[in-house]
Amino acid sequence: MKKATMIMDRDYTIGRVDPRIYGSFIEHLGRAVYGGIYEPDHPTADENGFRQDVIDMVRRLNVPVTRYPGGNFVSGFNWEDSIGPRSQRPRRLDLAWSTTETNEVGLHEFVEWARKANTDVMYAVNLGSRGPDAARNVVEYANHPSGSYWSDLRIQNGAKDPFGIKLWCLGNEMDGPWQICSKTAYEYGRTACEAAKMMKWVDPSIELVACGSSGYDMPTFGAWEYEMLDQCYDEIDYVSLHRYYGNRTNNTPDFLARNMDLDGFIKTVVSLCDAVRGKKHSKKQINLSFDEWNVWYHSNEQDKEVVKMGKWGRALPLLEDVYNFEDALLVGAMLITFLKNADRVKIACLAQLVNVIAPIMTRNGGGVWAQTTYWPLMQASMYGRGTALRPIINSPVYDCTDYEKVPLVDAAATMADDGSVTIFAVNRDMQEDVELDCDLRAFGELKIQEHIVLHHDDVKAVNTEANPDNVVPAAGKGGVIDGGKMSIVLPALSWNVIRLSK
Ligand code: AHR
């Protein structure tokens, strides 16, 4: 059997895991809000029209933070449309997705939903068609206690206590030509700087995410980060990164190696942040908010038809990727990469949460079910807390079309405050199991508490409403620990969670 080795020590650490790396995203897009989290006629709807079955699934997924309300949507959004009596809220054309936004769900409703779903709100302001003035007003509305125009209006609208939103995005993908009112790096950097100043003057406790380039392969990438940061470095806290992958050539070994690209992307943005820090002789470190990441390609062709047929419709079935088993493996591998970069990646949002490129799917009037990708996120969020360790991994490698020397086994490990250790490992070998030998002597007596495996013989296997348990985690075969050395078998093509406790 092929073998991989992993050496860890409790003193070899990367950094604390910020739980916000297990975040997600709800955009006013497709059926994410209407038909996703909100469906007043649904049998499980609560008094606010929120689907209780969806809330239960989100709570189980354990997402500490949820980005809202966009995405591309936010760059044409008037936040004031989303407050006050529902009957008086305007219907607006959403130019980002060629649909109609009814504003039935707005700021108050989303804050209430987030409370029920046990997640904090990460709120994006519009720096496309709007600007710094609207941005500081929404901070005042949401977070100022009382005694000013906007805070008193919030109270009048039924929320006596401030919402206390701590994390704010300064626009979305502002270098993308598809973005409403896209900008040059200088234009955006200046606008972000002035918006950030005012937003923090209103509430100095907030943290701000500035838009990095919308993509690693954008012509603007790199120069954008440098110029934008040069303009707003002192005012902001994080730079955003977005990345989606697809298996368009149906080449699984290639697809499963995509988190190597992700790692390169993260390290390059870290370098850009630190280059600007050097130029400015600054003591401040800018960290990363990977606030859109996922697999996204299955629905691309179908969406062209949906938009053609349904232009200006409401809650169209857009971006409804049906995820298969290999997608879950890549999602797991991407989570491993975030853990390996835990010193700089402090926020990450799986895009998105319900129906729209999402781990949770619903049918209008019908059921809710977990896609394959639900499981690695849920398990990482549940067990991947505490300190990210810095293991040394030696694995057999393979070459594929886009990458050379891809390790068959990729893994990360976390140590919780009670001394228990969790290993997350992907075996990318299409045919063979790999034995993982792990040196655990530095951790004292550990036993294997649980070995959980996600595997399916068919990489294209999916979960559906009729067959929701087709691709689900199961107990693995476990392994042995002898003299501080663990040996465990990672089945061919599998995501593994190995929980070790005292
Ligand atoms: O998540 C879907 C879309 O992808 C978002 O609206 C946008 O920011 C990105 O291009």
Side-chain angles (χ1 to χ4, degrees):
M1 192 183 305
K2 288 176 183 163
K3 266 191 192 194
T5 60
M6 188 165 175
I7 304 169
M8 292 183 285
D9 192 289
R10 50 191 311 127
D11 292 324
Y12 295 171
T13 62
I14 297 169
R16 289 295 288 182
V17 177
D18 190 320
R20 296 175 301 177
I21 66 167
Y22 306 120
S24 193
F25 177 26
I26 288 277
E27 177 166 4
H28 280 257
L29 157 59
R31 296 191 308 122
V33 175
Y34 308 114
I37 64 170
Y38 177 80
E39 196 182 340
D41 298 335
H42 192 270
T44 73
D46 66 12
E47 67 286 2
N48 301 311
F50 293 123
R51 283 182 65 153
Q52 188 60 48
D53 57 350
V54 175
I55 289 175
D56 293 343
M57 289 280 283
V58 175
R59 286 181 77 93
R60 278 198 290 277
L61 190 56
N62 204 359
V63 285
V65 69
T66 303
R67 186 168 176 249
Y68 174 84
N72 295 340
F73 169 79
V74 83
S75 297
F77 174 58
N78 298 328
W79 72 269
E80 305 88 336
D81 292 347
S82 80
I83 57 170
R86 270 182 171 151
S87 57
Q88 289 166 31
R89 294 184 196 167
R91 290 169 73 92
R92 299 261 188 210
L93 296 187
D94 166 21
L95 303 186
W97 299 105
S98 300
T99 52
T100 297
E101 173 55 51
T102 60
N103 287 300
E104 286 156 81
V105 171
L107 180 54
H108 288 249
E109 292 80 22
F110 190 74
V111 166
E112 178 59 14
W113 177 83
R115 194 186 58 72
K116 290 183 172 173
N118 201 21
T119 184
D120 289 339
V121 177
M122 175 186 195
Y123 194 81
V125 298
N126 175 357
L127 293 189
S129 68
R130 304 293 294 281
D133 192 46
R136 59 95 177 238
N137 289 344
V138 66
V139 177
E140 181 183 318
Y141 185 91
N143 286 5
H144 193 67
S146 64
S148 68
Y149 176 79
W150 291 109
S151 58
D152 287 345
L153 187 58
R154 181 196 71 240
I155 294 167
Q156 194 185 309
N157 286 336
K160 183 170 167 299
D161 294 328
F163 296 144
I165 299 173
K166 291 294 171 216
L167 194 54
W168 297 74
C169 303
L170 297 165
N172 178 70
E173 296 190 346
M174 294 306 306
D175 66 338
W178 58 86
Q179 204 66 217
I180 297 168
C181 300
S182 61
K183 292 184 168 30
T184 65
Y186 177 78
E187 287 167 346
Y188 171 72
R190 287 290 309 125
T191 304
C193 174
E194 296 306 322
K197 273 162 49 183
M198 289 203 288
M199 291 164 79
K200 284 194 174 176
W201 284 337
V202 174
D203 181 354
S205 74
I206 61 175
E207 290 191 301
L208 297 174
V209 181
C211 290
S213 169
S214 51
Y216 197 16
D217 37 22
M218 288 288 288
T220 31
F221 176 74
W224 171 277
E225 274 74 5
Y226 194 87
E227 174 67 46
M228 174 279 285
L229 281 171
D230 204 19
Q231 299 306 321
C232 66
Y233 195 93
D234 293 338
E235 318 300 334
I236 62 115
D237 304 286
Y238 306 93
V239 171
S240 75
L241 295 82
H242 292 179
R243 197 80 173 130
Y244 296 98
Y245 296 112
N247 188 2
R248 292 194 172 80
T249 53
N250 197 15
N251 180 336
T252 299
D254 234 51
F255 177 64
L256 294 181
R258 293 275 182 252
N259 68 316
M260 291 177 68
D261 168 274
L262 185 76
D263 191 62
F265 183 22
I266 290 169
K267 298 223 161 48
T268 307
V269 177
V270 166
S271 304
L272 287 160
C273 292
D274 293 349
V276 179
R277 178 183 181 175
K279 182 194 176 203
K280 290 184 175 290
H281 305 270
S282 175
K283 290 197 170 74
K284 177 178 174 184
Q285 176 173 293
I286 299 290
N287 288 321
L288 310 192
S289 171
F290 215 119
D291 45 44
E292 286 188 34
W293 68 274
N294 205 344
V295 174
W296 174 13
Y297 76 106
H298 297 284
S299 61
N300 292 168
E301 287 309 307
Q302 180 188 317
D303 282 351
K304 291 179 192 155
E305 297 308 309
V306 175
V307 170
K308 244 191 262 162
M309 312 266 299
K311 204 160 161 92
W312 309 127
R314 175 185 174 275
L316 302 177
L318 287 167
L319 281 67
E320 300 209 355
D321 277 44
V322 176
Y323 290 116
N324 58 33
F325 169 56
E326 67 183 9
D327 298 329
L329 288 179
L330 183 62
V331 163
M334 291 172 83
L335 287 161
I336 286 172
T337 300
F338 293 142
L339 284 170
K340 284 180 164 174
N341 289 281
D343 53 337
R344 299 302 289 266
V345 179
K346 301 293 174 186
I347 303 154
C349 302
L350 180 77
Q352 299 190 8
L353 185 57
V354 185
N355 289 333
V356 171
I357 43 175
I360 299 171
M361 290 300 289
T362 70
R363 181 166 58 82
N364 294 350
V368 61
W369 63 100
Q371 297 231 52
T372 60
T373 51
Y374 183 91
W375 301 110
L377 179 63
M378 188 199 87
Q379 292 165 339
S381 180
M382 191 175 292
Y383 303 120
R385 305 285 179 117
T387 300
L389 298 171
R390 193 182 289 283
I392 297 166
I393 301 165
N394 269 303
S395 164
V397 295
Y398 67 93
D399 292 338
C400 52
T401 315
D402 290 345
Y403 308 93
E404 284 176 1
K405 297 193 170 55
V406 181
L408 282 174
V409 172
D410 201 357
T414 55
M415 182 172 61
D417 296 338
D418 66 0
S420 59
V421 172
T422 302
I423 297 170
F424 302 97
V426 168
N427 177 5
R428 297 187 252 234
D429 196 304
M430 302 278 289
Q431 270 90 38
E432 290 183 45
D433 299 352
V434 177
E435 182 184 315
L436 179 66
D437 289 343
C438 212
D439 191 332
L440 297 169
R441 276 172 300 184
F443 298 92
E445 282 278 299
L446 285 178
K447 66 173 188 329
I448 300 173
Q449 189 182 336
E450 201 176 9
H451 176 204
I452 313 169
V453 174
L454 188 69
H455 169 79
H456 199 287
D457 289 339
D458 177 6
V459 287
K460 306 296 180 192
V462 300
N463 293 338
T464 60
E465 186 179 14
N467 190 8
D469 298 329
N470 191 27
V471 184
V472 289
K477 291 203 176 109
V480 287
I481 300 187
D482 190 13
K485 299 218 168 190
M486 177 181 74
S487 170
I488 196 161
V489 174
L490 311 177
L493 280 185
S494 63
W495 156 260
N496 299 262
V497 181
I498 304 156
R499 298 178 57 216
L500 305 160
S501 61
K502 295 270 171 200

